[in-house]
Amino acid sequence: MNIPQNILDKVNEWLTPVFDNETHKIIEEMMTSSPKELEESFYKNLEFGTGGMRGIMGVGTNRINKYTLGKNTQGLSDYILKSFPNEQTKVVIAYDCRHNSDTLAKVVADVFSANGIKVYLFSALRPTPILSFALKYLNCHAGIVLTASHNPPEYNGYKVYWQDGGQLVPPQDEEIIKLIEELKYSEIKFSANEDLIEYIDTEVDQAFIQSSIENASFNTPKEAKENLKIVFTSLHGTAITLVPETFSKAGYTDVNIVKEQEVPDGNFPTVKSPNPEEPEALLMATDLAEKINADIVIGTDPDGDRLGIAVRNLEGKMTLLNGNQTMVIMTAFLLEQWKRAGKITGNEFIGSTIVSTPMMTEIASGYGVECKVGLTGFKWIAKMIKDFPNQKFIGGGEESFGYMVGDAVRDKDAVAATLLVCEVAAQAKAAGSTLYQELLNLYVDFGFYKEYLISLTKKGIEGANEIKQMMIDLRENPLKEINNQRVVCVEDYQNSTVLNLFTNKIETLHIPKSDVLIYYLEDGTKICARPSGTEPKIKFYFSVNEPLDSIENFKKVEADLDQKIKNIVAEMQLN
């Protein structure tokens, strides 16, 4: 196999004395035995996506390793020092259960400290949301978490947070990326100043737990809390370090932990994918729930920022809720609590994303509250809080099983969200209802919205090109009719345009650019195509809706909506 010259140039750079002997050895081995792998490892530089930078661990510019992360950290250090010239700059670093997360976190700490920046480093693995909290709690200028969320075991990642506790957003991210790209690997300062590295744990943990309880508790009676039977699994991840103690301090006593998945393990041995979006991931938890007759199952992803929920349906069987359903349940509950407390003044807002259920807007409208809608990723919801300081943020979520309660944490937070959903479930049970029935009541009040996601994995160079071509085809040849419904308009977030297909009028979208296309049909159906920012996937999101006049008609209307989705998927040839 002939290796292209541009890749060979990068390989040769990595064979210079700037890189260690172990790196040289691995590259030389790949050159002889795995040229295809060598090409995959060097054909591009790892990029920042929706949730920071994620990639496979290994040697090369397209891999997570001490050099790619060292270069990121050197560029970020330069930016911090330039942004705060007369201050003692401070950063905080957390990491998850993945292989090498602890050693990579120390490399990152070393580079910051070598640049004269004070570092607070968690002494052991922690969920991602505590990093956002700790950043503000310790008055830091930036924060880093080493995590690849729910990606397979061979992945790791690097997420950057700024002073407000939210992830980097434009224009800062572009400015930092430019600095990183201009750096030479020889400019990375790896020699730590250990005097500037301070290990943190209990104090920040306790402050975070207290904050979670204050934000996500709503006068649930003691007896109602004790009467809720919970099954919890951390899926071998970091939430085990904080969720059980949060439950205990909040007054939930009947918490049953899935023991086989309790110990943090980067191999995730009991699941194919440690992703609470996948029904299979929560199988052990739902089996335990059936065995002990639990009311609710909660599973969190490896870095403890997203949660999957299962509850008993109308027949009493455990059923998984999707991210849109959990989001509307939690949002409606929060709004009702705020309304009862007389805290809704018309100056509040909730947050959602362009790929999430339109039902969020309907619920917000019902309570006289604004629903701000941004691009995919919680960094955009965090940016809303920063951009509108005179408005009060209540809560917000997105379809990918993330939720944020209040603004103490400026990112999705499975710790507070776990507590919040148990508050909903405990109060519903005490009133003779269930979480599932509360969801159906919302469908009656605001319309029955049903969502569906298709995620197509396309790995490597060929996969990236295939995804690119799919988006080109959808742009250049927009569908005019789907499932006998005319397409009303197409929103193209890459070109910042809204095309009305009835009038051919084009309007401007006032939202940051992103490679996303959304089709709206005349019956209110919404279809979205979006390449993932963190995985080799293209995702198609479907939302259909119909009025629901009573819970008795739920199954009939659900069958109609399911058929509608099935027809659309077949017509778009995505099955």
Side-chain angles (χ1 to χ4, degrees):
M1 176 182 171
N2 284 329
I3 299 167
Q5 189 58 47
N6 64 322
I7 290 172
L8 276 177
D9 290 344
K10 285 184 182 180
V11 170
N12 288 329
E13 184 191 355
W14 280 57
L15 289 171
T16 63
V18 168
F19 299 84
D20 59 32
N21 291 334
E22 182 62 22
T23 299
H24 293 173
K25 210 166 93 180
I26 294 167
I27 291 172
E28 283 157 5
E29 214 170 277
M30 282 162 71
M31 288 177 88
T32 53
S33 61
S34 313
K36 175 74 179 159
E37 190 188 340
L38 185 77
E39 188 173 347
E40 288 282 353
S41 300
F42 282 94
Y43 86 94
K44 65 172 185 173
N45 293 342
L46 264 186
E47 294 163 356
F48 280 88
T50 316
M53 178 182 274
R54 277 185 221 165
I56 294 167
M57 288 177 276
V59 162
T61 58
N62 188 33
R63 295 288 183 258
I64 294 283
N65 52 64
K66 69 177 275 192
Y67 297 104
T68 52
L69 295 195
K71 196 175 178 188
N72 282 356
T73 309
Q74 185 60 53
L76 184 57
S77 297
D78 293 345
Y79 186 82
I80 290 169
L81 294 169
K82 191 178 81 173
S83 303
F84 307 101
N86 302 310
E87 295 181 40
Q88 169 57 68
T89 47
K90 299 183 287 185
V91 299
V92 57
I93 302 169
Y95 59 91
D96 71 2
C97 58
R98 288 183 174 269
H99 300 305
N100 306 315
S101 276
D102 53 351
T103 51
L104 288 170
K106 182 61 169 72
V107 167
V108 171
D110 290 350
V111 175
F112 278 129
S113 69
N115 283 278
I117 295 168
K118 165 79 177 170
V119 179
Y120 295 102
L121 175 61
F122 275 96
S123 59
L125 76 176
R126 289 292 187 280
T128 291
I130 200 173
L131 184 278
S132 172
F133 175 84
L135 206 161
K136 290 199 291 174
Y137 181 77
L138 297 166
N139 293 313
C140 291
H141 297 84
I144 303 288
V145 63
L146 281 294
T147 176
S149 186
H150 57 278
N151 284 60
E154 64 270 22
Y155 280 75
N156 215 319
Y158 181 95
K159 286 167 85 168
V160 184
Y161 293 76
W162 203 241
Q163 259 188 314
D164 65 317
Q167 286 184 58
L168 285 179
V169 290
Q172 275 184 318
D173 54 355
E174 285 106 339
E175 290 167 7
I176 292 167
I177 289 163
K178 190 168 179 286
L179 272 179
I180 292 166
E181 285 172 351
E182 286 169 357
L183 274 173
K184 295 185 175 72
Y185 285 101
S186 57
E187 294 175 277
I188 304 167
K189 297 174 184 171
F190 281 116
S191 300
N193 177 350
E194 296 292 348
D195 293 341
L196 287 175
I197 300 174
E198 182 181 332
Y199 290 89
I200 56 171
D201 38 49
T202 315
E203 184 200 329
V204 180
D205 290 350
Q206 294 310 314
F208 174 76
I209 289 168
Q210 190 54 40
S211 170
S212 302
I213 293 168
E214 284 168 11
N215 278 305
S217 297
F218 292 91
N219 303 314
T220 304
K222 181 174 182 287
E223 191 184 340
K225 291 180 182 182
E226 292 171 353
N227 197 30
L228 186 72
K229 192 180 277 289
I230 303 162
V231 166
F232 174 71
T233 175
S234 54
L235 295 177
H236 304 291
T238 57
I240 200 68
T241 61
L242 293 173
V243 168
E245 191 178 346
T246 304
F247 270 139
S248 174
K249 290 196 165 166
Y252 288 90
T253 54
D254 198 348
V255 179
N256 304 271
I257 292 167
V258 179
K259 293 292 176 192
E260 300 91 332
Q261 298 175 330
E262 185 177 17
V263 177
D265 186 336
N267 288 319
F268 313 113
T270 65
V271 289
K272 200 163 100 180
S273 166
N275 184 355
E277 289 181 76
E278 308 282 347
E280 211 181 321
L282 296 186
L283 205 53
M284 290 179 100
T286 50
D287 285 350
L288 176 59
E290 294 294 9
K291 193 169 148 190
I292 65 171
N293 197 31
D295 299 302
I296 186 167
V297 164
I298 298 170
T300 51
D301 68 344
D303 68 324
D305 61 358
R306 299 185 311 130
L307 74 166
I309 295 163
V311 291
R312 297 198 176 277
N313 62 16
L314 295 176
E315 287 76 45
K317 283 290 290 175
M318 270 290 157
T319 186
L320 293 168
L321 301 180
N322 63 41
N324 286 299
Q325 290 171 320
T326 57
M327 171 170 54
V328 297
I329 289 167
M330 288 191 272
T331 302
F333 179 80
L334 279 176
L335 289 168
E336 184 60 30
Q337 298 303 315
W338 277 58
K339 183 184 171 184
R340 286 181 192 173
K343 285 162 60 180
I344 293 182
T345 65
N347 199 35
E348 295 77 27
F349 75 96
I350 61 167
S352 185
T353 70
I354 56 174
V355 299
S356 301
T357 178
M359 192 173 170
M360 284 288 276
T361 306
E362 296 299 316
I363 292 171
S365 176
Y367 280 91
V369 163
E370 184 187 355
C371 179
K372 294 185 192 293
V373 179
L375 295 176
T376 307
F378 271 75
K379 62 185 179 185
W380 300 108
I381 297 178
K383 187 177 186 295
M384 293 168 191
I385 299 169
K386 189 166 67 173
D387 289 349
F388 298 92
N390 298 323
Q391 276 183 280
K392 189 73 181 158
F393 175 72
I394 295 174
E398 64 176 8
E399 55 72 44
S400 64
F401 289 59
Y403 201 79
M404 182 157 67
V405 188
D407 65 357
V409 170
R410 301 285 176 95
D411 202 353
K412 51 190 178 288
D413 175 5
V415 182
T418 291
L419 187 53
L420 177 64
V421 83
C422 287
E423 291 281 291
V424 187
Q427 290 190 22
K429 187 177 182 181
S433 179
T434 66
L435 197 73
Y436 196 78
Q437 282 175 297
E438 294 305 303
L439 174 64
L440 301 193
N441 289 336
L442 291 174
Y443 288 153
V444 172
D445 291 344
F446 299 103
F448 187 174
Y449 285 76
K450 180 137 197 190
E451 278 73 33
Y452 185 68
L453 170 68
I454 288 180
S455 190
L456 305 176
T457 301
K458 308 278 182 183
K459 290 185 177 177
I461 303 168
E462 294 87 353
N465 290 332
E466 207 178 325
I467 288 170
K468 209 173 180 179
Q469 191 56 51
M470 286 172 91
M471 293 302 288
I472 288 169
D473 292 343
L474 282 168
R475 277 194 173 91
E476 293 182 353
N477 307 298
L479 300 164
K480 302 283 196 311
E481 189 176 289
I482 306 168
N483 192 33
N484 300 318
Q485 293 291 320
R486 290 182 302 170
V487 177
V488 178
C489 71
V490 183
E491 291 178 345
D492 186 342
Y493 287 82
Q494 187 164 275
N495 298 323
S496 301
T497 58
V498 185
L499 170 64
N500 184 317
L501 268 70
F502 290 178
T503 63
N504 279 330
K505 192 180 168 191
I506 296 176
E507 291 179 14
T508 304
L509 272 172
H510 299 287
I511 198 163
K513 289 181 185 294
S514 184
D515 190 8
V516 181
L517 269 176
I518 301 181
Y519 284 79
Y520 291 94
L521 312 191
E522 57 188 337
D523 65 351
T525 294
K526 175 182 166 187
I527 301 164
C528 173
R530 170 186 164 263
S532 170
T534 47
E535 301 170 272
K537 291 178 178 180
I538 182 167
K539 296 182 176 184
F540 291 88
Y541 306 80
F542 305 88
S543 178
V544 294
N545 68 86
E546 278 184 30
L548 179 65
D549 57 3
S550 68
I551 288 177
E552 288 70 39
N553 287 331
F554 167 70
K555 291 211 160 160
K556 181 190 174 300
V557 176
E558 184 175 45
D560 291 346
L561 294 176
D562 284 339
Q563 188 59 50
K564 193 183 276 193
I565 290 169
K566 206 173 168 185
N567 294 346
I568 293 167
V569 170
E571 196 170 317
M572 292 181 72
Q573 299 180 331
L574 294 171
N575 40 3

